[in-house]
Amino acid sequence: MKAGIISSDSEILGGTPVFKGTRVPIQTLFDYIKYDSVQEFLIGFPHISREMVEDVLDLAAKRATKPVKLKKNNAPVA
């Protein structure tokens, strides 16, 4: 996975996480996956490569499947 595929800058879309070097929000990819397809996303945003999409999905999968650390009282660690 390429390092730094996602960027967040207060000067770009108010700090919304975007594909690095673009103004395309990461959330847009997830909306396409939820309601349509990756292929439709790539058609709509031709300057985003399939490799970039796969890197973001890999990162999301790693974070989403990472075990949650709990405090002694079983509350998630903030």
Side-chain angles (χ1 to χ4, degrees), residues 1-2 7 13-14 17 24 26 33 36 40 43 45 49 53 55 64 68 73:
M1 179 181 347
K2 289 183 180 176
S7 67
L13 299 177
V24 179
I26 298 299
I33 292 170
D36 208 338
E40 289 299 316
I43 291 168
F45 299 93
S49 70
V53 167
D55 286 347
V68 175
N73 63 357

Side-chain angles (χ1 to χ4, degrees), residues 5-23:
I5 190 71
I6 299 171
S7 67
S8 181
D9 181 333
S10 62
E11 299 295 316
I12 299 173
L13 299 177
T16 299
V18 297
F19 283 90
K20 186 175 182 178
T22 76
R23 296 178 67 81

Side-chain angles (χ1 to χ4, degrees), residues 3-78:
I5 190 71
I6 299 171
S7 67
S8 181
D9 181 333
S10 62
E11 299 295 316
I12 299 173
L13 299 177
T16 299
V18 297
F19 283 90
K20 186 175 182 178
T22 76
R23 296 178 67 81
V24 179
I26 298 299
Q27 183 62 48
T28 303
L29 170 61
F30 290 109
D31 291 344
Y32 267 82
I33 292 170
K34 184 174 180 180
Y35 299 110
D36 208 338
S37 69
V38 169
Q39 186 59 36
E40 289 299 316
F41 175 83
L42 292 169
I43 291 168
F45 299 93
H47 56 289
I48 303 292
S49 70
R50 178 169 289 280
E51 181 182 21
M52 292 169 77
V53 167
E54 290 172 1
D55 286 347
V56 167
L57 294 176
D58 286 346
L59 179 61
K62 285 178 185 175
R63 288 187 180 174
T65 59
K66 185 177 179 180
V68 175
K69 294 181 182 180
L70 299 176
K71 293 180 181 178
K72 290 183 181 179
N73 63 357
N74 287 334
V77 175

